[in-house]
Amino acid sequence: MRTFRRLAVVLIMALVAAACGGGDDDNDSAGQTDTSQPAVNTNAELKVGFVDDQYVLEGVDASLGAYPLNTNVLETLTYLNDKYEVVPRLAERWEFRAPNTWRFFLRKGVKFHDGQDWNAQNAKAAIFDRVAAKRGGGTIKAGPNSVAIVDEFTLDFTPTVGNVRVPEQIVHPNNAAVAPGTDPGKKPVGTGPFKFVEYQAKERIVVERNDAYWGEKAQVARISFRFYPDSNARLLALQAGDIDLAYQIPRDDVKGLKDKGFTVANSTVGAYRAVYLNQFGEAPFDILKDVNVRKAIATGIDRKALVDGVLVGLATPDQTFVPPGVLGRSASEVKGFQFDLNKAKAMLDTAGWRAGSDGIREKAGRKLKLVLVSGFPSAEALRPTPVFLQSEMKKLGIDLEIQERPDSASFQALMAEKKGDLFIEEGNQNDANVGFLPVLLLYTGAASSGSGVYQGISAPGPTFNSLIEPSITEPDLAKTQLSVGKALNEAITEQATVLPLAGIFRIYAMKSTVRGFVPHPSFLNVSWLGVSVAGR
Amino acid sequence: MPYVLRRCLLVIPTLLGISFLAFALANLAPGNPAEQLLRRLSDTPPTAQEVIDTREEMGLNRPLVTQYVSWAGRAVQGDLGTSYTTRRSVSSELRHRIPYTLQLTVLAAMLALAIAVPAGIVCALHRNRLFDQLARLMSLAGASMPSFWLALSLIVLFAVRLSMVPVAGRGGLDSYVLPVVTLAVTPAAVLARFTRSTMLEVLDDDYMRTARAKGLTEWRTVLGHGMRNALVPLLTAFSISLGHLLAGAVIVETIFVWPGVGKLALDAISNRDYPMIQGFVLYAGAAFAGINLLVDLAYGAIDPRISAAGSSASGLRR
């Protein structure tokens, strides 16, 4: 027995010693200070940690290697750069031909990975015929007879309905060119800087450099993308040296990673956190019918405190739910609200809500109690912002109850039933179509196509509709941005039916040996072309 | 009708009942599967018309009972439908994932047994001594430790600090270590406590005293007579643990990027992927029913008295 005890003590001490002794090893494999500046190794393999594997592998929606994780095997006609600008890719230029046709001038000297030529005939099959088979003809509204071939490298695309936003929509990887006669759900064959190697569902997808690429060649020989649905595991994989670069780093971990010598890079705003206010609810969810209460809430939230504290500085206190990059110069059209607690209190006083004995405001014997529903994309992803809002509302004398929903489906079900006063969500902007979200979510005019769920609680009304309608038919981007900017101001500032809280950055972390990575605000459009690995 | 055949036939209505309950519950859950699918396909909110068209395409406009009968009719022919999210057949998804879950389950179950049974016996033989106290403390900790915490702690120690194994992912043999250990800890802890208590019950029985009086060594007495009698309740406890392992360990599979059925079920629920939920429930139900059947048969092998009584009173076996 004594021998056993001794053995147990020795074993425990050895384990503790090993665990403590390993502490300094963190940086050995990963975050060393890069003093020697090793040269770029073009034969290196880059290992990337992504979130969950959500590829569709069968049917018309097959998206292996393209969406949501873009491995750069497939390419689109136009590309969305990290400033939300639409730039040429497989099309060198394009022009609008009234009333509803887009002429694309294709790049010459491009080949698919299987040797097929890139030309108008193959572009028709590779993009437009494929997208036409999707339900509704995809976002670009392609139909079976939408394409007319003008010459070998020119084609005309006429959507099935009026669509002036084609170049901005077609950047989405779902509209990428897949070599005719190949199966994008099993082995994607495209024109991109990387070629498909292998895929293990829910585990990894591997690509290798395309040495016959039409443009500048990739800087790494191979990229192995591994799926880590759990953010802690992804982070630990980076620290253990299992991966070189990781997507979607939790904000709270940024400082720790930097301290350990990792490079943390954030994009410009690519998502937004906003609250939709229910102005059409029935009791007990009818308090926000009063625009003055809505404006008081918008005035009483300290966005800077939210950004600096809860979002640890990795966001901006934007007043628009379309990223400013997409709105361009017209972002300044959206005035929003300056934080002023006293003014917000006075606005509630004027609206008839007076402070009660317990600090909660009352009107005609009714307490100012509101319900905030959180759950898009999930309640977990939004924490602790709802608690911050609860604290801000308490300062105003509003009792805010938080109802968390486990997933977006149950969140939207509550929104559809209008069972809540405020609905907080985090949404993304993955293309350059400036009016897409406002039109889809808030517009109720004749051309409305939205599901009506958001409109059911937050539609700003006829003025908004008339302001945004030009964006539906105007091909000129600057005019469209202006139209959307003015409409957003109506929704956000004048009607206060949407309350943007912050613009959200995409956060990536990598070893110091990774060079040339451009943090993209849209996960779907990350480019691996210029990324290199030094010294391995 | 032979007992085994009767038990096998009973599994069919059981599975149908389970699948109907799962179907009803899934449909009661808030959320529109058509909208979920469309959002997932492009990361943008769908239009109203798209949602209507997709609901029609998915057959969700039909009455619930019609949907269920149609599904059940195809299921008995082996067609579990097509997943809303991956667009692959549910049967093929399950066929692809079950082996991964089985790998973890078998290894974790073996590890749990290898630790729990000897530890439980030693604890019972050395009741209230230091080893017993320590083992009980450790089994209490093991049984109450959240698996996500244990998984992350093991990763930090053995993968990040000691670089002995990879953090996650399926690869060489070393990639099995952490997920198997994480999975095995709870059943090992529970089974160790169970083994100890059942052994304590039998150690002072008359037949044990008789065995000792006949001159058998203590270990032969314990293993040959005591353990055999303790095995029946232990097997029951083990079968329950095994059933849970076979149904997939969502947290372990998520953290360790293990493509098993647990993660598949979680994704199906959050995507309102009704065919996949149905398929998973059917699989999990079949796994539990299969284990119960095997355990019932094993009782007879362990204890001939049960076998003698079993053919006429099988309902009393558990």
Side-chain angles (χ1 to χ4, degrees), chain A residues 346-372:
Chain A
M347 289 164 84
L348 286 174
D349 287 340
T350 309
W353 292 97
R354 307 283 175 165
S357 54
D358 57 355
I360 301 302
R361 290 173 182 272
E362 297 174 356
K363 183 178 178 180
R366 185 182 181 185
K367 291 276 185 190
L368 184 42
K369 178 175 179 172
L370 300 175
V371 172
L372 171 75

PDB file of all heavy atoms in Angstrom, chain A residues 346-372:
ATOM      1  N   ALA A 346     -36.262  63.065 -20.171  1.00  0.00           N
ATOM      2  CA  ALA A 346     -37.251  64.131 -20.406  1.00  0.00           C
ATOM      3  C   ALA A 346     -38.248  63.708 -21.495  1.00  0.00           C
ATOM      4  O   ALA A 346     -39.446  64.017 -21.413  1.00  0.00           O
ATOM      5  CB  ALA A 346     -36.517  65.413 -20.813  1.00  0.00           C
ATOM      6  N   MET A 347     -37.745  62.986 -22.491  1.00  0.00           N
ATOM      7  CA  MET A 347     -38.643  62.527 -23.569  1.00  0.00           C
ATOM      8  C   MET A 347     -39.686  61.543 -23.024  1.00  0.00           C
ATOM      9  O   MET A 347     -40.864  61.579 -23.415  1.00  0.00           O
ATOM     10  CB  MET A 347     -37.819  61.855 -24.687  1.00  0.00           C
ATOM     11  CG  MET A 347     -36.982  62.844 -25.489  1.00  0.00           C
ATOM     12  SD  MET A 347     -35.688  62.027 -26.458  1.00  0.00           S
ATOM     13  CE  MET A 347     -36.618  61.575 -27.899  1.00  0.00           C
ATOM     14  N   LEU A 348     -39.251  60.700 -22.107  1.00  0.00           N
ATOM     15  CA  LEU A 348     -40.207  59.751 -21.518  1.00  0.00           C
ATOM     16  C   LEU A 348     -41.211  60.491 -20.630  1.00  0.00           C
ATOM     17  O   LEU A 348     -42.404  60.147 -20.594  1.00  0.00           O
ATOM     18  CB  LEU A 348     -39.454  58.691 -20.705  1.00  0.00           C
ATOM     19  CG  LEU A 348     -38.718  57.644 -21.536  1.00  0.00           C
ATOM     20  CD1 LEU A 348     -37.883  56.728 -20.651  1.00  0.00           C
ATOM     21  CD2 LEU A 348     -39.700  56.802 -22.353  1.00  0.00           C
ATOM     22  N   ASP A 349     -40.715  61.521 -19.902  1.00  0.00           N
ATOM     23  CA  ASP A 349     -41.634  62.347 -19.086  1.00  0.00           C
ATOM     24  C   ASP A 349     -42.714  62.951 -19.984  1.00  0.00           C
ATOM     25  O   ASP A 349     -43.903  62.920 -19.672  1.00  0.00           O
ATOM     26  CB  ASP A 349     -40.861  63.473 -18.386  1.00  0.00           C
ATOM     27  CG  ASP A 349     -40.016  62.951 -17.234  1.00  0.00           C
ATOM     28  OD1 ASP A 349     -40.308  61.830 -16.745  1.00  0.00           O
ATOM     29  OD2 ASP A 349     -39.048  63.635 -16.841  1.00  0.00           O
ATOM     30  N   THR A 350     -42.263  63.522 -21.106  1.00  0.00           N
ATOM     31  CA  THR A 350     -43.196  64.173 -22.039  1.00  0.00           C
ATOM     32  C   THR A 350     -44.199  63.163 -22.598  1.00  0.00           C
ATOM     33  O   THR A 350     -45.361  63.500 -22.842  1.00  0.00           O
ATOM     34  CB  THR A 350     -42.404  64.809 -23.216  1.00  0.00           C
ATOM     35  OG1 THR A 350     -41.360  65.607 -22.663  1.00  0.00           O
ATOM     36  CG2 THR A 350     -43.295  65.661 -24.104  1.00  0.00           C
ATOM     37  N   ALA A 351     -43.725  61.917 -22.781  1.00  0.00           N
ATOM     38  CA  ALA A 351     -44.627  60.878 -23.313  1.00  0.00           C
ATOM     39  C   ALA A 351     -45.594  60.367 -22.249  1.00  0.00           C
ATOM     40  O   ALA A 351     -46.421  59.498 -22.527  1.00  0.00           O
ATOM     41  CB  ALA A 351     -43.806  59.721 -23.867  1.00  0.00           C
ATOM     42  N   GLY A 352     -45.470  60.917 -21.033  1.00  0.00           N
ATOM     43  CA  GLY A 352     -46.420  60.562 -19.974  1.00  0.00           C
ATOM     44  C   GLY A 352     -45.959  59.450 -19.063  1.00  0.00           C
ATOM     45  O   GLY A 352     -46.690  59.017 -18.177  1.00  0.00           O
ATOM     46  N   TRP A 353     -44.733  58.965 -19.238  1.00  0.00           N
ATOM     47  CA  TRP A 353     -44.212  57.899 -18.388  1.00  0.00           C
ATOM     48  C   TRP A 353     -43.396  58.530 -17.268  1.00  0.00           C
ATOM     49  O   TRP A 353     -42.301  59.029 -17.485  1.00  0.00           O
ATOM     50  CB  TRP A 353     -43.344  56.934 -19.198  1.00  0.00           C
ATOM     51  CG  TRP A 353     -44.114  56.128 -20.205  1.00  0.00           C
ATOM     52  CD1 TRP A 353     -44.257  56.409 -21.520  1.00  0.00           C
ATOM     53  CD2 TRP A 353     -44.860  54.935 -19.963  1.00  0.00           C
ATOM     54  NE1 TRP A 353     -45.039  55.470 -22.132  1.00  0.00           N
ATOM     55  CE2 TRP A 353     -45.427  54.533 -21.189  1.00  0.00           C
ATOM     56  CE3 TRP A 353     -45.113  54.154 -18.830  1.00  0.00           C
ATOM     57  CZ2 TRP A 353     -46.230  53.410 -21.318  1.00  0.00           C
ATOM     58  CZ3 TRP A 353     -45.909  53.023 -18.965  1.00  0.00           C
ATOM     59  CH2 TRP A 353     -46.457  52.660 -20.192  1.00  0.00           C
ATOM     60  N   ARG A 354     -43.968  58.545 -16.070  1.00  0.00           N
ATOM     61  CA  ARG A 354     -43.337  59.192 -14.910  1.00  0.00           C
ATOM     62  C   ARG A 354     -42.718  58.146 -13.980  1.00  0.00           C
ATOM     63  O   ARG A 354     -43.250  57.030 -13.862  1.00  0.00           O
ATOM     64  CB  ARG A 354     -44.383  59.976 -14.107  1.00  0.00           C
ATOM     65  CG  ARG A 354     -45.185  60.951 -14.945  1.00  0.00           C
ATOM     66  CD  ARG A 354     -44.357  62.176 -15.240  1.00  0.00           C
ATOM     67  NE  ARG A 354     -45.075  63.075 -16.140  1.00  0.00           N
ATOM     68  CZ  ARG A 354     -44.739  64.324 -16.350  1.00  0.00           C
ATOM     69  NH1 ARG A 354     -43.673  64.832 -15.758  1.00  0.00           N
ATOM     70  NH2 ARG A 354     -45.435  65.065 -17.183  1.00  0.00           N
ATOM     71  N   ALA A 355     -41.621  58.566 -13.319  1.00  0.00           N
ATOM     72  CA  ALA A 355     -40.909  57.629 -12.442  1.00  0.00           C
ATOM     73  C   ALA A 355     -41.793  57.188 -11.289  1.00  0.00           C
ATOM     74  O   ALA A 355     -42.426  58.022 -10.624  1.00  0.00           O
ATOM     75  CB  ALA A 355     -39.641  58.283 -11.921  1.00  0.00           C
ATOM     76  N   GLY A 356     -41.861  55.863 -11.032  1.00  0.00           N
ATOM     77  CA  GLY A 356     -42.636  55.337  -9.916  1.00  0.00           C
ATOM     78  C   GLY A 356     -41.780  55.211  -8.669  1.00  0.00           C
ATOM     79  O   GLY A 356     -40.587  55.546  -8.687  1.00  0.00           O
ATOM     80  N   SER A 357     -42.393  54.722  -7.605  1.00  0.00           N
ATOM     81  CA  SER A 357     -41.674  54.649  -6.323  1.00  0.00           C
ATOM     82  C   SER A 357     -40.488  53.684  -6.400  1.00  0.00           C
ATOM     83  O   SER A 357     -39.497  53.859  -5.704  1.00  0.00           O
ATOM     84  CB  SER A 357     -42.640  54.205  -5.224  1.00  0.00           C
ATOM     85  OG  SER A 357     -43.257  52.990  -5.627  1.00  0.00           O
ATOM     86  N   ASP A 358     -40.562  52.673  -7.227  1.00  0.00           N
ATOM     87  CA  ASP A 358     -39.461  51.708  -7.342  1.00  0.00           C
ATOM     88  C   ASP A 358     -38.477  52.080  -8.452  1.00  0.00           C
ATOM     89  O   ASP A 358     -37.613  51.274  -8.816  1.00  0.00           O
ATOM     90  CB  ASP A 358     -40.026  50.306  -7.593  1.00  0.00           C
ATOM     91  CG  ASP A 358     -40.902  50.256  -8.837  1.00  0.00           C
ATOM     92  OD1 ASP A 358     -41.141  51.331  -9.442  1.00  0.00           O
ATOM     93  OD2 ASP A 358     -41.347  49.151  -9.213  1.00  0.00           O
ATOM     94  N   GLY A 359     -38.627  53.273  -8.996  1.00  0.00           N
ATOM     95  CA  GLY A 359     -37.706  53.712 -10.049  1.00  0.00           C
ATOM     96  C   GLY A 359     -38.185  53.374 -11.446  1.00  0.00           C
ATOM     97  O   GLY A 359     -37.649  53.874 -12.440  1.00  0.00           O
ATOM     98  N   ILE A 360     -39.148  52.481 -11.554  1.00  0.00           N
ATOM     99  CA  ILE A 360     -39.686  52.105 -12.871  1.00  0.00           C
ATOM    100  C   ILE A 360     -40.825  53.072 -13.219  1.00  0.00           C
ATOM    101  O   ILE A 360     -41.700  53.361 -12.397  1.00  0.00           O
ATOM    102  CB  ILE A 360     -40.221  50.652 -12.845  1.00  0.00           C
ATOM    103  CG1 ILE A 360     -39.101  49.683 -12.469  1.00  0.00           C
ATOM    104  CG2 ILE A 360     -40.809  50.275 -14.212  1.00  0.00           C
ATOM    105  CD1 ILE A 360     -37.893  49.714 -13.385  1.00  0.00           C
ATOM    106  N   ARG A 361     -40.794  53.546 -14.429  1.00  0.00           N
ATOM    107  CA  ARG A 361     -41.795  54.532 -14.852  1.00  0.00           C
ATOM    108  C   ARG A 361     -43.182  53.904 -14.973  1.00  0.00           C
ATOM    109  O   ARG A 361     -43.315  52.702 -15.236  1.00  0.00           O
ATOM    110  CB  ARG A 361     -41.378  55.151 -16.184  1.00  0.00           C
ATOM    111  CG  ARG A 361     -40.165  56.047 -16.050  1.00  0.00           C
ATOM    112  CD  ARG A 361     -39.645  56.529 -17.379  1.00  0.00           C
ATOM    113  NE  ARG A 361     -38.460  57.339 -17.164  1.00  0.00           N
ATOM    114  CZ  ARG A 361     -38.473  58.656 -16.944  1.00  0.00           C
ATOM    115  NH1 ARG A 361     -39.618  59.320 -16.937  1.00  0.00           N
ATOM    116  NH2 ARG A 361     -37.354  59.315 -16.742  1.00  0.00           N
ATOM    117  N   GLU A 362     -44.191  54.776 -14.819  1.00  0.00           N
ATOM    118  CA  GLU A 362     -45.580  54.316 -14.899  1.00  0.00           C
ATOM    119  C   GLU A 362     -46.406  55.315 -15.693  1.00  0.00           C
ATOM    120  O   GLU A 362     -46.058  56.502 -15.780  1.00  0.00           O
ATOM    121  CB  GLU A 362     -46.197  54.207 -13.499  1.00  0.00           C
ATOM    122  CG  GLU A 362     -45.539  53.186 -12.602  1.00  0.00           C
ATOM    123  CD  GLU A 362     -46.107  53.240 -11.186  1.00  0.00           C
ATOM    124  OE1 GLU A 362     -46.955  54.130 -10.908  1.00  0.00           O
ATOM    125  OE2 GLU A 362     -45.677  52.423 -10.373  1.00  0.00           O
ATOM    126  N   LYS A 363     -47.458  54.786 -16.259  1.00  0.00           N
ATOM    127  CA  LYS A 363     -48.412  55.664 -16.951  1.00  0.00           C
ATOM    128  C   LYS A 363     -49.799  55.039 -16.772  1.00  0.00           C
ATOM    129  O   LYS A 363     -49.991  53.867 -17.157  1.00  0.00           O
ATOM    130  CB  LYS A 363     -48.054  55.765 -18.431  1.00  0.00           C
ATOM    131  CG  LYS A 363     -48.909  56.704 -19.247  1.00  0.00           C
ATOM    132  CD  LYS A 363     -48.364  56.697 -20.686  1.00  0.00           C
ATOM    133  CE  LYS A 363     -49.173  57.551 -21.603  1.00  0.00           C
ATOM    134  NZ  LYS A 363     -48.643  57.543 -22.971  1.00  0.00           N
ATOM    135  N   ALA A 364     -50.700  55.766 -16.217  1.00  0.00           N
ATOM    136  CA  ALA A 364     -52.070  55.286 -15.959  1.00  0.00           C
ATOM    137  C   ALA A 364     -52.047  53.925 -15.254  1.00  0.00           C
ATOM    138  O   ALA A 364     -52.783  53.004 -15.628  1.00  0.00           O
ATOM    139  CB  ALA A 364     -52.861  55.205 -17.265  1.00  0.00           C
ATOM    140  N   GLY A 365     -51.174  53.815 -14.270  1.00  0.00           N
ATOM    141  CA  GLY A 365     -51.103  52.581 -13.480  1.00  0.00           C
ATOM    142  C   GLY A 365     -50.355  51.436 -14.156  1.00  0.00           C
ATOM    143  O   GLY A 365     -50.221  50.351 -13.582  1.00  0.00           O
ATOM    144  N   ARG A 366     -49.840  51.660 -15.350  1.00  0.00           N
ATOM    145  CA  ARG A 366     -49.119  50.598 -16.049  1.00  0.00           C
ATOM    146  C   ARG A 366     -47.615  50.839 -15.974  1.00  0.00           C
ATOM    147  O   ARG A 366     -47.144  51.953 -16.220  1.00  0.00           O
ATOM    148  CB  ARG A 366     -49.563  50.580 -17.515  1.00  0.00           C
ATOM    149  CG  ARG A 366     -48.960  49.450 -18.306  1.00  0.00           C
ATOM    150  CD  ARG A 366     -49.405  49.509 -19.746  1.00  0.00           C
ATOM    151  NE  ARG A 366     -48.847  48.420 -20.512  1.00  0.00           N
ATOM    152  CZ  ARG A 366     -48.984  48.265 -21.809  1.00  0.00           C
ATOM    153  NH1 ARG A 366     -49.704  49.153 -22.509  1.00  0.00           N
ATOM    154  NH2 ARG A 366     -48.428  47.249 -22.428  1.00  0.00           N
ATOM    155  N   LYS A 367     -46.889  49.799 -15.637  1.00  0.00           N
ATOM    156  CA  LYS A 367     -45.433  49.913 -15.533  1.00  0.00           C
ATOM    157  C   LYS A 367     -44.818  49.942 -16.930  1.00  0.00           C
ATOM    158  O   LYS A 367     -45.338  49.291 -17.849  1.00  0.00           O
ATOM    159  CB  LYS A 367     -44.870  48.705 -14.779  1.00  0.00           C
ATOM    160  CG  LYS A 367     -45.229  48.656 -13.317  1.00  0.00           C
ATOM    161  CD  LYS A 367     -44.277  49.480 -12.503  1.00  0.00           C
ATOM    162  CE  LYS A 367     -44.578  49.331 -11.015  1.00  0.00           C
ATOM    163  NZ  LYS A 367     -43.820  50.319 -10.218  1.00  0.00           N
ATOM    164  N   LEU A 368     -43.702  50.652 -17.053  1.00  0.00           N
ATOM    165  CA  LEU A 368     -42.986  50.680 -18.339  1.00  0.00           C
ATOM    166  C   LEU A 368     -42.075  49.455 -18.398  1.00  0.00           C
ATOM    167  O   LEU A 368     -40.873  49.512 -18.119  1.00  0.00           O
ATOM    168  CB  LEU A 368     -42.198  51.979 -18.478  1.00  0.00           C
ATOM    169  CG  LEU A 368     -41.463  52.216 -19.805  1.00  0.00           C
ATOM    170  CD1 LEU A 368     -42.286  51.809 -21.010  1.00  0.00           C
ATOM    171  CD2 LEU A 368     -41.055  53.663 -19.932  1.00  0.00           C
ATOM    172  N   LYS A 369     -42.695  48.356 -18.743  1.00  0.00           N
ATOM    173  CA  LYS A 369     -41.961  47.104 -18.816  1.00  0.00           C
ATOM    174  C   LYS A 369     -41.927  46.628 -20.270  1.00  0.00           C
ATOM    175  O   LYS A 369     -42.968  46.563 -20.930  1.00  0.00           O
ATOM    176  CB  LYS A 369     -42.635  46.046 -17.946  1.00  0.00           C
ATOM    177  CG  LYS A 369     -41.927  44.720 -18.022  1.00  0.00           C
ATOM    178  CD  LYS A 369     -42.495  43.686 -17.081  1.00  0.00           C
ATOM    179  CE  LYS A 369     -41.710  42.388 -17.279  1.00  0.00           C
ATOM    180  NZ  LYS A 369     -42.023  41.385 -16.318  1.00  0.00           N
ATOM    181  N   LEU A 370     -40.727  46.309 -20.748  1.00  0.00           N
ATOM    182  CA  LEU A 370     -40.563  45.850 -22.135  1.00  0.00           C
ATOM    183  C   LEU A 370     -39.873  44.492 -22.156  1.00  0.00           C
ATOM    184  O   LEU A 370     -39.140  44.148 -21.226  1.00  0.00           O
ATOM    185  CB  LEU A 370     -39.716  46.859 -22.928  1.00  0.00           C
ATOM    186  CG  LEU A 370     -40.252  48.286 -23.029  1.00  0.00           C
ATOM    187  CD1 LEU A 370     -39.242  49.193 -23.731  1.00  0.00           C
ATOM    188  CD2 LEU A 370     -41.596  48.337 -23.761  1.00  0.00           C
ATOM    189  N   VAL A 371     -40.107  43.767 -23.227  1.00  0.00           N
ATOM    190  CA  VAL A 371     -39.470  42.446 -23.389  1.00  0.00           C
ATOM    191  C   VAL A 371     -38.502  42.517 -24.573  1.00  0.00           C
ATOM    192  O   VAL A 371     -38.891  42.895 -25.684  1.00  0.00           O
ATOM    193  CB  VAL A 371     -40.530  41.348 -23.627  1.00  0.00           C
ATOM    194  CG1 VAL A 371     -39.846  40.025 -23.989  1.00  0.00           C
ATOM    195  CG2 VAL A 371     -41.398  41.186 -22.395  1.00  0.00           C
ATOM    196  N   LEU A 372     -37.245  42.171 -24.304  1.00  0.00           N
ATOM    197  CA  LEU A 372     -36.228  42.118 -25.359  1.00  0.00           C
ATOM    198  C   LEU A 372     -35.997  40.651 -25.721  1.00  0.00           C
ATOM    199  O   LEU A 372     -35.622  39.847 -24.863  1.00  0.00           O
ATOM    200  CB  LEU A 372     -34.916  42.739 -24.872  1.00  0.00           C
ATOM    201  CG  LEU A 372     -33.709  42.570 -25.794  1.00  0.00           C
ATOM    202  CD1 LEU A 372     -33.805  43.499 -26.998  1.00  0.00           C
ATOM    203  CD2 LEU A 372     -32.401  42.839 -25.059  1.00  0.00           C
TER     204      LEU A 372
END
